Amino acid sequence: ANLQDFITYIRGVLNSPELPLVIGRINAPSKPFRDLVRDAQAKVVSVTAATRLIDTDDLGLLDIIHYDAAGLVTLGQRFAAATSDLISE
């Protein structure tokens, strides 16, 4: 519910109901509730127009939640590609 509320809020504040939004799927391999959050992210994206979920499972980590430099570069590339795809639809 929080993610859906956030999307609605951002689009409302910016007065852009179809604003493309890209969401990075959480990785955090050993964190509790990871799978529950990931499932919720996927569900929101599946029912919300102009959104995409970016896979992060193969990105390198410095620790349990922070990506290493190469991971951040790849994540940025994925966000840019997904945003471009959403804009061109």
Side-chain angles (χ1 to χ4, degrees):
N2 288 339
L3 180 56
Q4 186 64 60
D5 290 346
F6 176 72
I7 291 169
T8 300
Y9 173 77
I10 291 298
R11 288 176 170 174
V13 165
L14 297 175
N15 195 28
S16 183
E18 293 298 317
L19 178 72
L21 292 170
V22 180
I23 299 154
R25 184 172 66 180
I26 66 160
N27 192 343
S30 62
K31 286 296 215 180
F33 306 111
R34 174 190 116 149
D35 292 338
L36 182 68
V37 172
R38 288 164 62 113
D39 290 346
Q41 287 178 310
K43 182 177 179 185
V44 168
V45 169
S46 74
V47 298
T48 307
T51 60
R52 289 289 185 278
L53 189 61
I54 301 301
D55 184 18
T56 60
D57 289 351
D58 63 335
L59 302 179
L61 295 171
L62 290 173
D63 56 34
I64 197 168
I65 58 172
H66 297 101
Y67 300 105
D68 61 19
L72 287 173
V73 169
T74 302
L75 182 63
Q77 292 167 337
R78 289 177 186 174
F79 268 78
T83 301
S84 179
D85 289 347
L86 284 169
I87 290 169
S88 65
E89 287 183 353

